Amino acid sequence: MKAIGFKTSLAIKEKDSFIAFETQKPVSKGKDILVKIAAVSVNPVDYKVRQNSAKDTVLNTPKIIGWDAVGTVEAVGNEVTLFKTGDQVFYAGDITRPGSNAEYQLVDERIVGRRPEGLTPEEAAAMPLTSLTAWEILFDRMRISAEKDKGKSILMIGGAGGVGSIAIQLAKKIAGLNVIVTASRPETTEWCKEMGADVVVNHKDLLNQMKEAGYPQVDFILDFVNTNSYWDKMVELIKPQGHIASITGSADPVVLNDLKTKSVSFSWEFMFTRPMFQTEDMIAQHHILNKVAALLENGTLKSTLTNTMNGLTVENLKDAHTLLESGKAIGKTVIKF
């Protein structure tokens, strides 16, 4: 099969930052299904892994990355019960295994959902990783529910990216929250409003803009940018007994003591935790993806696809990574095979 990967971590502009190569098509065993891939999308985790996983070394075998795919089940392992050959599926995968930038991929059935009907392959491919991340951070980590939290306020720092684009929709349409997001450009502001944000504020003057918008404090805060970049502002903006959660991490320690007097909770979200550690509730991702598929089918949610490239090529992957690294991406970029 054809695949694209890298042997060493290079700047994206370098000739061999990605290389195309031929490798053996994998064989499904156990709970694995073999998927013939039709489309993939690109996420920030892709370029972070590319930049850092093969520093100062040259791998013997190219590393295949990519964690979002849509495709057809071609074969199933002997323990598979959720899918059969010919099924249409979508998934984000497992960061500890070879990724989706290839013609075929093995993936554990417990983290795979049925592809939503009525969406093109590229519309569906845009959704798995960001939907799982947004769902888990809102409903598993922060334990938000419409029953107890409808009408409360949530601030999302970085609303126009892939995760923000679907988190806005879930927070508004499923949890019934008042959604405030940050954006600084006219096009990102408009995109966030299109996704369902009630209020858009400029992160460059966050505290004043929040007060002017009538939200000097909020019940929940989601960080999609860099935890420490806005830490002091988040500490000030969060209500007593509120909840802050982040997907980004930080090179420097986060000062959790700042949250003590307000009795504020803090959570990390890492979408790959369940597959990486084979947690007892690993199959939750299968169920979440099926719920997301149903919400996409009935129009409650809409795909966050904004940019489609045609063909699994080195050039397309370089262009997609360049866009993400620029920090100016809106929604999701998908490569259709």
Side-chain angles (χ1 to χ4, degrees):
M1 69 174 185
K2 177 184 177 181
I4 294 177
F6 57 89
K7 285 192 168 185
T8 187
S9 294
L10 297 171
I12 194 60
K13 66 180 184 297
E14 296 292 330
K15 178 177 180 293
D16 291 331
S17 58
F18 277 116
I19 56 175
F21 65 102
E22 293 289 324
T23 187
Q24 197 71 27
K25 183 166 74 171
V27 176
S28 54
K29 299 176 182 177
K31 293 184 179 297
D32 280 348
I33 58 175
L34 177 66
V35 179
K36 180 176 175 56
I37 297 174
V40 299
S41 78
V42 184
N43 296 282
V45 65
D46 296 43
Y47 75 75
K48 292 174 184 177
V49 171
R50 194 202 81 245
Q51 291 173 342
N52 296 295
S53 62
K55 278 186 174 180
D56 305 317
T57 188
V58 178
L59 305 174
N60 292 326
T61 304
K63 182 177 180 67
I64 304 170
I65 61 174
W67 293 283
D68 256 340
V70 163
T72 305
V73 178
E74 182 159 296
V76 300
N78 60 309
E79 297 177 28
V80 169
T81 61
L82 302 174
F83 299 99
K84 63 183 184 304
T85 302
D87 283 348
Q88 301 293 304
V89 296
F90 75 151
Y91 55 90
D94 180 346
I95 199 169
T96 67
R97 304 183 68 180
S100 55
N101 295 338
E103 291 180 317
Y104 295 89
Q105 183 184 15
L106 287 178
V107 60
D108 190 301
E109 67 167 351
R110 292 170 291 178
I111 56 173
V112 177
R114 61 174 185 81
R115 171 183 156 186
E117 297 179 4
L119 273 67
T120 65
E122 50 268 36
E123 287 172 333
M127 301 308 294
L129 184 145
T130 54
S131 295
L132 285 166
T133 301
W135 190 286
E136 289 182 352
I137 199 169
L138 287 166
F139 307 129
D140 293 347
R141 311 300 170 227
M142 304 181 90
R143 300 183 182 179
I144 292 170
S145 69
E147 289 75 21
K148 65 180 177 65
D149 297 313
K150 185 176 181 181
K152 290 183 179 180
S153 54
I154 187 167
L155 169 64
M156 301 182 188
I157 299 176
V163 177
S165 298
I166 187 64
I168 291 169
Q169 297 183 61
L170 290 172
K172 188 67 187 175
K173 297 180 179 180
I174 305 303
L177 302 180
N178 292 320
V179 180
I180 310 103
V181 303
T182 69
S184 60
R185 293 178 285 147
E187 58 269 34
T188 52
T189 297
E190 184 58 35
W191 173 258
C192 290
K193 289 179 178 178
E194 186 181 332
M195 292 298 101
D198 296 293
V199 177
V200 182
V201 296
N202 193 319
H203 59 87
K204 295 175 182 177
D205 188 25
L206 184 56
L207 295 180
N208 286 329
Q209 293 238 328
M210 289 292 287
K211 289 175 185 175
E212 290 172 7
Y215 292 96
Q217 291 190 324
V218 291
D219 298 286
F220 307 105
I221 299 178
L222 298 184
D223 162 51
F224 299 141
V225 180
N226 181 293
T227 312
N228 266 332
S229 294
Y230 296 91
W231 183 251
D232 291 342
K233 294 179 177 66
M234 289 193 288
V235 170
E236 184 168 340
L237 288 167
I238 194 68
K239 285 183 180 180
Q241 302 183 114
H243 200 142
I244 299 173
S246 176
I247 68 170
T248 58
S250 173
D252 301 311
V254 176
V255 187
L256 292 180
N257 276 346
D258 291 345
L259 305 179
K260 184 176 186 295
T261 57
K262 286 186 178 179
S263 296
V264 170
S265 301
F266 179 82
S267 298
W268 293 116
E269 158 60 16
F270 187 53
M271 191 228 76
F272 295 112
T273 296
R274 281 168 162 145
M276 176 183 284
F277 294 99
Q278 300 276 304
T279 61
E280 291 180 0
D281 67 345
M282 181 173 164
I283 199 170
Q285 293 200 338
H286 166 73
H287 298 310
I288 293 168
L289 286 171
N290 282 346
K291 290 174 184 175
V292 169
L295 292 167
L296 287 164
E297 288 167 348
N298 68 24
T300 301
L301 302 178
K302 56 184 174 181
S303 174
T304 57
L305 171 71
T306 53
N307 185 28
T308 301
M309 301 176 178
N310 290 303
L312 178 64
T313 66
V314 166
E315 293 73 20
N316 280 340
L317 274 172
K318 284 189 173 187
D319 287 345
H321 278 235
T322 299
L323 175 60
L324 280 179
E325 289 181 34
S326 74
K328 295 182 178 180
I330 300 174
K332 292 295 295 291
T333 293
V334 169
I335 298 173
K336 183 181 179 181
F337 290 12

